[in-house]
């Protein structure tokens, strides 16, 4: 993935000049693109920038040529990286709500997420909800602008895939009722199924638009398989990813050029003990920290956090610096999707073959059939948990275990006593759509939290 963003540097330098423009529909203009547009319109004069009367208004003509659409494209790529690997982005948030990470510091709003008890007033949940809606809107805008310049530009497919990704994450992370608005039009609440279906539609188009660009096509194909898996369409999901090589990886890239471009996830983990690898969290959690599995390498000795003096310190060793890349969509996921489809079809030999193909990149020994239907599902989701660790997949998987496999929620999610402060874990199965969405007159709250 390319991440050389002049726009991102501008975004950082102009934080105090350019407000983030928000619509209740979730369509937010990225500051990166706003900054670039303002610099272009002001002739790169800081004085003129400071005198702009309406910094939230962009001349559409300035973004309808090759240079302008490239700026839009770059802004979306930056927003994708920031959404996933920001300080409290998708990786952190989904890991805290599930059994991937524990919170080792003190701010109460982060603890609420880790505790499965984040209210609709939680401003951090509102932040990554807004960022996800922003990515959806900006990706749609970029794909339309790119297509207007050149209908055969493969970046059209990549931007359509970005929009599809945002839809999938809105469906996986939040309760039923997410509005999907368009610029100038407040969205109406959609069921989780409808949000996922809208994402799959975007991703189907993305595969076609990617043309001969294998990177964009593989990116869209795996995401399409993920959406179909969320919808319970396992055979279609397997077909969607069949051509994706196991070696494929679509990865966030980071640099030191600005806070926006840094890997903020690792900073909150390593500098603040805020995000620590869990181990058997809440009775049901997997032994991520102590399994000695090469897919989840850890450092640390389990000694108490320097901040709360309680949470065991285990750090994720694949994220150790501001420039650490984070794989989000991979060919390994494609093999795991195929494996789950084979398991659903009761083709045990093919299931094991696909599971072991997914283990091959780490040189791991082959798994064998555990012998019962329940144990096979346990193994399937354990393999997904370790192979897809810290990539934003675990919450969707826990929800699918409840929704598609009939598991009781409190037999899947961390439950019982919280690991500190004498508290109990809550009962959230996903994040509640934040209070800020009630600025949208069509929205009154979650349709349901099943």
């Amino acid at each position: 993935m390319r991440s050389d963003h002049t726009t991102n540097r501008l975004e950082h330098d102009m934080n105090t000049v350019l407000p983030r423009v928000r619509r209740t529909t979730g369509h937010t203009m990225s500051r990166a693109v706003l900054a670039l547009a303002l610099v272009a319109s002001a002739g790169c004069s800081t004085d003129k920038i400071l005198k702009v009367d309406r910094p939230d208004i962009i001349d559409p003509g300035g973004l309808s040529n090759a240079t302008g659409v490239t700026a839009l494209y770059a802004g979306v790529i930056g927003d994708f990286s920031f959404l996933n690997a920001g300080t409290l982005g998708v990786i952190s948030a989904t890991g805290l709500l599930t059994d991937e990470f524990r919170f080792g510091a003190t701010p109460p709003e982060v603890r609420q997420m880790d505790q499965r008890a984040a209210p609709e007033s939680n401003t951090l949940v509102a932040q990554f909800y807004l960022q996800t809606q922003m990515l959806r809107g900006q990706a749609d805008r970029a794909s339309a602008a790119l297509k207007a310049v050149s209908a055969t530009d493969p970046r059209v497919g990549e931007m359509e895939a970005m929009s599809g990704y945002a839809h999938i994450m809105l469906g996986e992370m939040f309760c039923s009722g997410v509005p999907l608005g368009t610029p100038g039009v407040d969205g109406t609440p959609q069921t989780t199924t409808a949000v996922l279906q809208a994402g799959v539609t975007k991703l189907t188009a993305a595969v076609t638009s990617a043309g001969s660009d294998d990177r964009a096509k593989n990116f869209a194909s795996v995401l399409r398989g993920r959406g179909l898996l969320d919808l319970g369409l396992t055979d279609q999901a397997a077909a969607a990813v069949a051509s994706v090589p196991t070696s494929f990886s679509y990865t966030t890239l980071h640099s030191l050029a600005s806070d926006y471009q840094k890997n903020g996830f690792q900073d909150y983990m390593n500098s603040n003990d805020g995000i620590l690898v869990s181990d058997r969290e809440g009775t049901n959690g997997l032994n991520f920290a102590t399994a000695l599995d090469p897919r989840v390498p850890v450092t640390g000795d389990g000694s108490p956090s320097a901040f709360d003096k309680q949470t065991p310190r285990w750090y994720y060793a694949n994220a150790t610096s501001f420039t650490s890349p984070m794989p989000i969509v991979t060919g390994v996921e494609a093999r795991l999707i195929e494996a789950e489809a084979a398991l659903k079809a009761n083709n045990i030999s093919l299931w094991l073959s696909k599971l072991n193909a997914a283990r091959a990149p780490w040189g791991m020994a082959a798994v064998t059939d555990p012998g019962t239907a329940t144990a096979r599902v346990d193994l399937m989701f354990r393999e997904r948990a370790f192979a897809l660790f810290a990539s934003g997949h675990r919450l969707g998987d826990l929800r699918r275990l409840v929704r598609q496999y009939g598991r009781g929620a409190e037999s899947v999610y961390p439950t019982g006593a919280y690991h500190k402060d004498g508290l109990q874990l809550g009962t959230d199965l996903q994040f509640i759509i934040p209070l800020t969405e009630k600025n949208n007159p069509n929205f009154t709250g979650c349709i349901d939290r099943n």
Side-chain angles (χ1 to χ4, degrees), residues 95-120:
L96 285 168
L97 182 56
T98 63
D99 58 342
E100 286 187 319
F101 300 119
R102 278 179 172 165
F103 180 52
T106 54
E109 286 201 313
V110 186
R111 187 187 64 198
Q112 290 170 350
M113 297 160 68
D114 190 32
Q115 199 184 342
R116 294 180 60 199
E120 64 179 2

Side-chain angles (χ1 to χ4, degrees), residues 179-411:
L180 299 177
T182 56
V185 180
D186 290 316
T188 57
Q190 303 293 313
T191 66
T192 296
T193 296
V195 172
L196 293 170
Q197 288 172 336
V200 169
T201 298
K202 289 281 184 183
L203 292 160
T204 301
V207 172
T208 300
S209 299
S212 59
D213 186 327
D214 288 341
R215 185 181 66 92
K217 182 170 290 186
N218 290 336
F219 177 49
S221 295
V222 178
L223 287 171
R224 183 168 179 265
R226 179 176 179 175
L228 290 165
L229 201 65
D230 282 334
L231 291 167
L233 303 173
T234 52
D235 288 343
Q236 293 181 42
V241 302
S243 64
V244 179
T246 306
S247 60
F248 172 73
S249 180
Y250 195 94
T251 303
T252 67
L253 297 183
H254 304 275
S255 80
L256 301 176
S258 73
D259 288 344
Y260 184 75
Q261 290 174 273
K262 291 177 181 177
N263 183 328
F265 161 77
Q266 74 79 33
D267 181 46
Y268 199 54
M269 174 179 63
N270 293 323
S271 300
N272 301 287
D273 286 358
I275 306 292
L276 297 167
V277 178
S278 286
D279 199 67
R280 298 183 176 90
E281 182 179 359
T283 305
N284 301 314
L286 299 181
N287 58 331
F288 290 113
T290 59
L292 302 180
D293 189 303
R295 296 171 293 187
V296 185
V298 298
T299 59
D301 57 7
S303 60
S305 162
F307 283 80
D308 67 15
K309 312 300 181 184
Q310 296 179 69
T311 308
R313 279 189 285 187
W314 283 296
Y315 305 104
Y316 183 46
N318 281 347
T320 57
S321 76
F322 285 125
T323 59
S324 293
M326 305 296 290
I328 304 300
V329 177
T330 65
V332 166
E333 181 182 354
R335 302 292 80 79
L336 291 166
I337 290 171
E338 292 173 326
E340 191 168 346
L343 182 60
K344 280 288 188 74
N346 202 33
N347 187 337
I348 304 307
S349 61
L350 179 60
W351 172 60
L352 290 171
S353 173
K354 295 297 183 179
L355 281 186
N356 288 320
R359 293 166 68 89
W362 292 272
M364 301 176 71
V367 295
T368 57
D369 182 11
T372 69
T374 297
R376 287 166 182 157
V377 173
D378 289 345
L379 177 59
M380 179 72 245
F381 280 82
R382 181 181 178 87
E383 288 297 292
R384 285 184 60 87
F386 279 85
L388 305 178
F389 185 82
S391 63
H393 286 77
R394 186 62 171 159
L395 179 56
D397 279 358
L398 295 192
R399 293 183 71 179
R400 288 198 305 112
L401 275 168
V402 177
R403 183 173 70 247
Q404 297 176 0
Y405 290 86
R407 300 286 178 95
E410 300 311 303
S411 71

